[in-house]
Amino acid sequence: MDVFQAIRLRRSVRAFLDQPIADDQRQQLRQALRYAPSACNIQPWRFLFVTEWSMRQRLAEAANEQLWIASAPLIVVACGYPADAYPRMAGRYSSVDMDLAIALDHLSLAAVELGLGSCWIGAFNEPAVRELLNVPDEARVVAMMPVGPPADPAMIRDIDEADRKPEQEIFGDERWE
């Protein structure tokens, strides 16, 4: 599979099989995160790999009761260090948020390559997640991503062109027209 195929196949998966992710696949997911770029290569992050059933349940509850999240055999919790992030972007957008978004995108595409599904989770009670996972004050919980084999393999499928806006609506050349 090439990266363009992975991009076309990536979907938000919200139902997973109850089977663990193989150690070699888990290591590949870690490397996808580790090799992700960040502003000035600062890497202002820490990723928590949560596999324990009871903790996955509590994270799902802290994610506004999105209980399906606990069905994933792995929840990756992306934490960032705002004080360590590239400072020149302050005011426009958060460098740490951008850096973690890039890393999680790498993770989601690596998951597709491995036959796994994933879903971005941005709706959660950060103080509750921080307390559950003992996240220090200097770090922020930016996002979570459940990962695992999809309950229905058809969830990983090629993009339906009818669901995408036409190119002329989303691209411009040289200036806005």
Side-chain angles (χ1 to χ4, degrees), residues 2-144:
D2 67 28
V3 70
F4 294 104
Q5 185 178 15
I7 289 168
R8 290 180 61 96
L9 293 175
R10 195 258 167 225
R11 295 284 175 281
S12 291
V13 173
R14 293 180 178 87
F16 301 90
L17 293 177
D18 184 20
Q19 61 189 83
I21 296 173
D23 289 343
D24 63 321
Q25 290 181 318
R26 196 169 127 140
Q27 185 59 27
Q28 288 176 292
L29 295 173
R30 286 178 182 264
Q31 293 309 314
L33 291 164
R34 186 168 169 252
Y35 293 137
S38 63
C40 290
N41 197 33
I42 294 171
Q43 304 167 60
W45 52 46
R46 185 167 178 94
F47 301 96
L48 305 176
F49 276 46
V50 179
T51 58
E52 183 184 291
W53 169 246
S54 63
M55 185 59 77
R56 293 187 342 245
Q57 282 184 302
R58 289 185 283 190
L59 286 174
E61 291 167 6
N64 301 341
E65 298 292 324
Q66 297 179 77
L67 301 181
W68 61 268
I69 292 170
S71 72
L74 169 65
I75 301 173
V76 177
V77 181
C79 302
Y81 297 102
D84 294 344
Y86 184 65
R88 289 192 189 168
M89 294 185 210
R92 280 193 11 198
Y93 50 84
S94 167
S95 170
V96 76
D97 291 351
M98 190 75 91
D99 289 341
L100 283 164
I102 293 167
L104 287 174
D105 194 49
H106 277 54
L107 177 68
S108 71
L109 294 175
V112 170
E113 167 70 23
L114 297 171
L116 303 172
S118 65
C119 187
W120 288 75
I121 306 298
F124 56 88
N125 178 326
E126 184 180 2
V129 173
R130 294 172 63 77
E131 184 176 333
L132 282 170
L133 299 176
N134 200 32
V135 176
D137 290 342
E138 62 271 11
R140 282 187 46 234
V141 179
V142 174
M144 298 191 294

